[in-house]
Amino acid sequence: MENQTFNADMLNIEGLKVSSEASIPVFTFLLLTYIFIMVSNISLIILISLEKSLHQPMYLLFCNMIVNDIFEATIIIPPLLSQIFVPIMDRYIHYVNCVIQAFFAHFHASATHTVLMIGLSIRLSRCRQVIFNPYCENASLFKLSCESVLINQIYGLGYTVVLLGSSIGSITLTYLKIAAVCLSRKNKVLNSRALQTCASHLTLYLVLLVVGIVNITLHRFPDLSDQQKIATVMVHVIPPALDPVIYGLQIQVVRQKLISYLRVLKDNM
């Protein structure tokens, strides 16, 4: 009975296929990336919290994004690190833990979407026990079922189209309005500030859009499973690592405050 319960509730998570020669470099890269994400983002949170001049809606919104990045990276990277030196056949995860990880892996993007999708996922019967992705997410949970998941796929694709469409539309409309204001006022100082802010925002947005689309596209091609795994990991590694660089260091006020704090810290040492 115990073996049957184990077989029913335990899943084999394939994770990243890393050769023995590449295990240490991959582990080192992910570990250093995670350390950089945590140190840089937490430093910016402390800076924004301590500096009263940064207690403004824009910086508080930025702080919220930083918290989401920390949360996202912590959900994905540490489990990946724990799997690298473990043989693929010995990588197990309890089904409940897999569902929880899938929920939190998607939570930062859209809580409502995740609740609905995970709610559909856990109601499906399971006749497979292998998670081919590096971590648990909705698409992997769907593939455990031998039932028709057409309704899940239609909902997921439909939501993705609506989400991307509304996102791209709102970004385009906003940038057109900013461009119109800049052209009408012809103020070099204001235009320079607007260009700097927009460039940082647009760069990060394009990174998110590209890695997201690549990941979604590769999911449809089983023959490219290894490439899809790498793309899936990058979705949760690149944005959290770039956010503090693109936003934190490009925003002049944040950059100046950070430099001043570092100088004080250096003088005290």
Side-chain angles (χ1 to χ4, degrees):
M1 179 64 71
E2 292 182 358
N3 290 335
Q4 291 178 351
T5 302
F6 176 84
N7 291 334
D9 294 338
M10 299 301 294
L11 304 175
N12 177 233
I13 184 164
E14 188 174 274
L16 292 174
K17 291 182 179 179
V18 182
S19 64
S20 56
E21 295 81 7
S23 296
I24 294 179
V26 171
F27 180 88
T28 303
F29 169 75
L30 289 176
L31 179 60
L32 292 178
T33 302
Y34 181 66
I35 292 174
F36 172 77
I37 290 171
M38 298 301 289
V39 171
S40 59
N41 283 289
I42 291 176
S43 298
L44 287 174
I45 290 177
I46 294 174
L47 174 64
I48 294 173
S49 300
L50 294 179
E51 187 58 47
K52 292 184 178 180
S53 63
L54 298 179
H55 292 179
Q56 301 177 26
M58 185 180 85
Y59 302 113
L60 293 178
L61 183 62
F62 174 53
C63 192
N64 178 71
M65 183 178 67
I66 292 174
V67 172
N68 285 337
D69 287 340
I70 294 174
F71 181 78
E72 175 186 2
T74 302
I75 288 297
I76 301 301
I77 299 180
L80 285 177
L81 291 173
S82 66
Q83 296 169 5
I84 289 179
F85 296 107
V86 178
I88 293 177
M89 297 306 299
D90 294 333
R91 297 174 183 172
Y92 291 102
I93 185 171
H94 196 281
Y95 179 68
V96 173
N97 294 336
C98 188
V99 172
I100 292 173
Q101 187 185 37
F103 177 86
F104 286 111
H106 292 270
F107 182 78
H108 71 281
S110 175
T112 304
H113 169 63
T114 304
V115 169
L116 293 173
M117 291 293 285
I118 296 298
L120 291 172
S121 301
I122 60 178
R123 285 175 173 81
L124 294 172
S125 63
R126 287 174 286 133
C127 63
R128 301 184 182 92
Q129 292 177 285
V130 179
I131 299 289
F132 294 102
N133 228 29
Y135 62 91
C136 295
E137 34 82 74
N138 289 321
S140 297
L141 291 175
F142 293 162
K143 293 175 183 178
L144 295 177
S145 177
C146 291
E147 298 179 19
S148 173
V149 294
L150 180 61
I151 183 64
N152 306 74
Q153 293 173 341
I154 292 175
Y155 176 83
L157 184 60
Y159 184 88
T160 301
V161 171
V162 172
L163 181 64
L164 290 179
S166 59
S167 174
I168 294 174
S170 63
I171 291 293
T172 302
L173 181 61
T174 301
Y175 274 89
L176 287 175
K177 289 185 176 181
I178 293 174
V181 171
C182 290
L183 291 174
S184 62
R185 294 189 177 183
K186 297 181 180 179
N187 186 314
K188 292 184 178 180
V189 176
L190 291 178
N191 289 352
S192 177
R193 291 179 180 177
L195 180 61
Q196 183 179 14
T197 302
C198 292
S200 301
H201 179 271
L202 188 60
T203 300
L204 182 59
Y205 181 79
L206 290 176
V207 169
L208 288 169
L209 192 64
V210 170
V211 295
I213 291 176
V214 169
N215 184 39
I216 292 172
T217 302
L218 290 177
H219 249 303
R220 272 64 184 175
F221 298 92
D223 294 338
L224 300 176
S225 60
D226 291 339
Q227 291 84 345
Q228 190 271 327
K229 291 176 184 178
I230 296 175
T232 299
V233 173
M234 291 299 102
V235 168
H236 299 282
V237 170
I238 293 178
L242 289 181
D243 280 351
V245 176
I246 293 178
Y247 272 111
L249 298 182
Q250 288 297 321
I251 298 176
Q252 185 176 5
V253 177
V254 176
R255 185 173 65 250
Q256 291 175 346
K257 295 295 181 181
L258 182 61
I259 293 174
S260 64
Y261 271 100
L262 291 176
R263 286 176 178 173
V264 172
L265 181 62
K266 181 181 178 180
D267 294 337
N268 292 334
M269 294 177 61

